[in-house]
Structure formats: structure tokens, C-alpha cells
Amino acid sequence: MSQQIRQRHSARGSSADQADSLTMKASGGGLSAKSLIESSPAQHGPALKLHVPAIYKISPTCLQRILSSGWFPESMSPHWIERHLVQAGSFLYRFETDQSSEPKGTPVQLAAVEARVVGEDDYLEGLELMFRQLPPGSDAVFSVSTFGKTQYFAVSSKEECSTWVNS
């Protein structure tokens, strides 16, 4: 199966190949983290994804500060969630762990992505506190933006961050 996945991701020609690949992804067929890792992906590794609840996004800034103060449940304020990222072929897959049987969410097509290193001076719409207090073991953050949605990932080093952005 891993040979089939590698061939589907390396073929970049006809729209029929791309449609077959998308159908396979949508059905979750053979897309376990383990099978993708065994297929020699371009890159894979653990990262922390910033989860921002909907209530936080629609709240005014003064309420966001109160929600982030620690007095409310974690489910109401932004928090970091462990994920395992796999870049295979022209897609970025997010898994809960490196042993997960299916991707978490829709795989992101790399051709439609803008990835960049998030610096300390970047304005992040009320999320500044989350980047000043990175989780233990994380030293850098990068963003992946596609179709108006931006996801933030914290990794252990600035070198690892650069590798994810440049791959």
C-alpha cells in the first residue's frame, strides 16, 4: 500500500490522477500515520497546534484577555494541542499521534499554502500572549495559511521551524 501512496503523490500530471488521490484521501483509505511515515515522506515529526475556540475568536479583546487569564476552562481559551505532521508528496497531513489510523482534518495541499516563520513582532489578532508563553520544549512557531484559514504550529527549534516552512 505504501508504494501506491508514493506513486499517487509523486504523479503530478493529469487531473484524473489528482481526483483519484483526493478520493482516496477523503475515504481515509490507507492514510494512517504509520503507513505514510513508512513510505519515506519528505518530512514528519511532532508539533503543537494552536487551537483557538470559536467563542474566543468572536469575543472582543477585553473578553479575550479575561478568557486567557486562567480563570476559565481551557476549552474557552487558546491552547496548544499535540499533533504529528507528515509531509508526503504534495500534501501536509495532521495526525493526533504517529500511530493514528486517519488524518485529523483535511490534508492540506502544499501548492495552495503560504507557510512562514512567526516572529515575535508579528501582530496575531489577540494571540500575542500565546506566543510569548510557548509550551515547554518549544522554541519557534510557524504558520500555514490556506483559503483564509491560518493554523499555527510550535516546534522544538528554529532550525526545525525553518525546515517545515521551506519544505
Side-chain angles (χ1 to χ4, degrees):
M1 183 63 171
S2 63
Q3 188 71 352
Q4 183 182 16
I5 291 171
R6 188 175 305 133
Q7 290 172 350
R8 286 183 188 261
H9 288 295
S10 63
R12 290 186 176 184
S14 71
S15 58
D17 286 343
Q18 291 173 346
D20 286 346
S21 179
L22 290 174
T23 302
M24 184 175 152
K25 285 173 190 55
S27 67
L31 288 180
S32 70
K34 186 176 180 180
S35 67
L36 283 175
I37 293 168
E38 289 173 354
S39 72
S40 301
Q43 185 171 347
H44 72 92
L48 295 173
K49 179 184 178 285
L50 182 62
H51 173 73
V52 182
I55 187 75
Y56 188 87
K57 290 179 187 177
I58 62 172
S59 300
T61 305
C62 60
L63 185 55
Q64 288 178 349
R65 287 190 182 119
I66 293 169
L67 290 172
S68 297
S69 67
W71 290 96
F72 290 89
E74 186 179 80
S75 62
M76 296 182 76
S77 64
H79 54 280
W80 296 97
I81 300 173
E82 206 169 319
R83 293 288 180 251
H84 194 85
L85 302 178
V86 179
Q87 180 192 339
S90 59
F91 289 89
L92 176 65
Y93 300 88
R94 298 168 318 271
F95 293 92
E96 285 189 28
T97 69
D98 61 350
Q99 298 298 314
S100 296
S101 60
E102 59 185 34
K104 186 84 174 140
T106 304
V108 177
Q109 190 169 14
L110 295 175
V113 162
E114 178 188 334
R116 67 182 188 86
V117 174
V118 176
E120 293 177 15
D121 298 333
D122 292 335
Y123 176 71
L124 300 167
E125 301 175 31
L127 298 174
E128 296 84 7
L129 181 63
M130 296 306 298
F131 294 100
R132 279 183 268 164
Q133 299 174 353
L134 289 177
S138 297
D139 192 36
V141 176
F142 68 95
S143 66
V144 175
S145 300
T146 181
F147 304 115
K149 182 177 182 181
T150 301
Q151 299 178 50
Y152 298 97
F153 297 93
V155 291
S156 61
S157 69
K158 293 181 190 307
E159 292 80 22
E160 184 180 0
C161 186
S162 294
T163 303
W164 278 110
V165 169
N166 295 323
S167 58

